[in-house]
């Protein structure tokens, strides 16, 4: 009987907390009016450094450079810095060919001798960057034409220290599409409240002075973009995802599940680290940020376990003939017909697997 009650309690808790957070987030959306979609660039556009880290991106890099080239931002007000860490395919060759064919844009290639990870590469690029605004973008991603302009405009707003993008998925996997729309709403709502708990490598723009204040890009946490945004938020600046900054992520078709697990591992590392700061000097952190991060770290670190443990307990008591657990399992099976429910369950399992894998492989 205890097993049965615990199981039911865990499952109920598991679904209740995120529902409450969702309602809270809807409230934030409603009560914090957006300060207008900012599309007017200031008279004097700031100098921007767009940094693209590459490791074996021959397949993506040309498309990426064309995408950056066609941005609606004065070409003499931004530079592109590509930092490559010993790619073994034709990445660097292709970039040089592209540069020869394109005038009026300042593209610079920095070659690191050995591969020491994306973060190391970004810190190398930072030394060469001249911009007051630093924009990081993964090679396997794309922007809409107004992404850079809108991101920069938001970044020029008082109190904003970092800006990232809304993901528009490009994939056949419907799991991914659903994941984006639900979490996309949370990102925007959190941004209206204070800061988004999560940032995206497709477009992560930072004020350079703040990057310097936090000592460059953090090297010890996997979710570099989210964690950099977190460090900036903890200084009291907002790290936001406004609705008019959009980007496209190309979801890998090969190794999809491992990719999801790695991403989840990185996020878990990010939340664990922020939690640690909140415990040690929480009083100094912005209140709204603390509130967001408490919800989000609970949802990423603890809530998935309630589902998995609850599920096992419910199965055990169902096997002993308990009625409510059997009904619960039947309801669950019916709900699996709904795509969003399937996606949710998948994500919970990925988070649990990721936190276990973090014990021995933090890569
Ligand atoms: P994922 O999307 O999180 O799986 O990460 P990716 O493998 O797509 O990497 C994100 C970006 O960082 C891509 O543009 C990669 O080419 C780049 N990248 C990854 N590792 C390294 C590295 O060691 N050095 C450099 N310079 N870039 C890297
Ligand atoms: Mn990628």
């Amino acid at each position: 009987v205890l097993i049965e009650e615990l199981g039911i309690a865990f499952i109920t808790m598991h679904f209740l907390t995120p529902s409450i957070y969702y309602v809270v987030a809807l409230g934030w959306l409603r009560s914090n009016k957006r300060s207008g979609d900012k599309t007017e660039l200031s008279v004097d556009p700031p100098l921007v450094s767009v940094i693209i880290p590459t490791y074996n991106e021959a397949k993506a890099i040309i498309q990426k450079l064309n995408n950056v080239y066609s941005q609606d931002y004065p070409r003499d007000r931004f530079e592109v810095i590509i930092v490559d860490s010993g790619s073994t395919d034709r990445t660097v060759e292709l970039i040089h060919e592209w540069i020869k064919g394109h005038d009026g844009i300042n593209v610079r290639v920095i070659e690191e001798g050995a591969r020491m990870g994306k973060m190391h590469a970004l810190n190398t690029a930072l030394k060469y960057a001249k911009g007051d605004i630093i924009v990081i973008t993964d090679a396997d991603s794309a922007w809409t034409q107004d992404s850079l302009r809108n991101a920069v405009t938001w970044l020029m707003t008082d109190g904003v220290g970092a800006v990232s993008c809304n993901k528009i998925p490009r994939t056949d996997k419907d799991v991914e599409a659903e994941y984006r729309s639900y979490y996309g709403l949370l990102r925007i709502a959190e941004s209206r409240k204070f800061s988004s708990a999560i940032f995206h490598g497709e477009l992560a723009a930072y004020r350079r002075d703040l990057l310097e204040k936090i000592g460059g890009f953090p090297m010890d946490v996997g979710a570099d973009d989210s964690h950099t945004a977190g460090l900036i938020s903890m200084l009291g600046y907002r790290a936001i995802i406004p609705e008019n900054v959009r980007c496209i992520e190309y979801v890998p078709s090969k190794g999809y599940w491992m990719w999801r697990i790695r991403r989840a591992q990185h996020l878990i590392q990010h939340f664990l680290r922020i939690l640690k700061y909140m415990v040690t000097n929480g009083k100094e952190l912005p209140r709204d940020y603390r509130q967001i991060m408490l919800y989000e770290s609970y949802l990423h670190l603890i809530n998935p376990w309630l589902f998995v443990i609850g599920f096992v307990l419910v199965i055990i008591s169902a096997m002993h003939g308990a009625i409510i657990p059997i009904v619960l399992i039947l309801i669950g099976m019916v709900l699996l017909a709904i795509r969003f429910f399937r996606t949710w369950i998948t994500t919970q399992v990925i988070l649990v697997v990721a936190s276990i894998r973090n014990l021995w492989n933090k890569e």
Side-chain angles (χ1 to χ4, degrees), residues 7-19 298-299 303 306:
I8 295 168
F10 280 13
I11 295 280
T12 311
M13 273 280 282
H14 171 82
F15 288 103
L16 200 59
T17 324
S19 311
Y298 176 84
L299 291 178
N303 204 44
L306 290 185

Side-chain angles (χ1 to χ4, degrees), residues 134-136 147-148 150-157 160-165 199-200 203-207 229 232 238-242 244-245:
I134 306 291
V135 183
I136 311 299
S147 298
L148 186 58
N150 292 346
V152 169
T153 310
W154 277 106
L155 212 42
M156 303 297 284
T157 317
V160 175
V163 173
S164 190
C165 58
F199 252 39
H200 304 310
L203 190 163
Y206 309 101
R207 263 173 53 180
I232 287 176
R238 294 171 62 208
I240 60 172
I241 295 188
N244 68 344
V245 180

Side-chain angles (χ1 to χ4, degrees), residues 287-306:
R287 236 196 97 186
D288 289 338
Y289 185 65
R290 261 178 8 221
Q291 194 185 350
I292 291 164
M293 292 314 273
L294 275 179
Y295 270 115
E296 286 287 0
S297 35
Y298 176 84
L299 291 178
H300 282 84
L301 302 174
I302 298 171
N303 204 44
W305 290 93
L306 290 185

Side-chain angles (χ1 to χ4, degrees), residues 138 140 259 263:
D138 291 349
D140 56 343
W259 175 76
R263 288 277 182 101

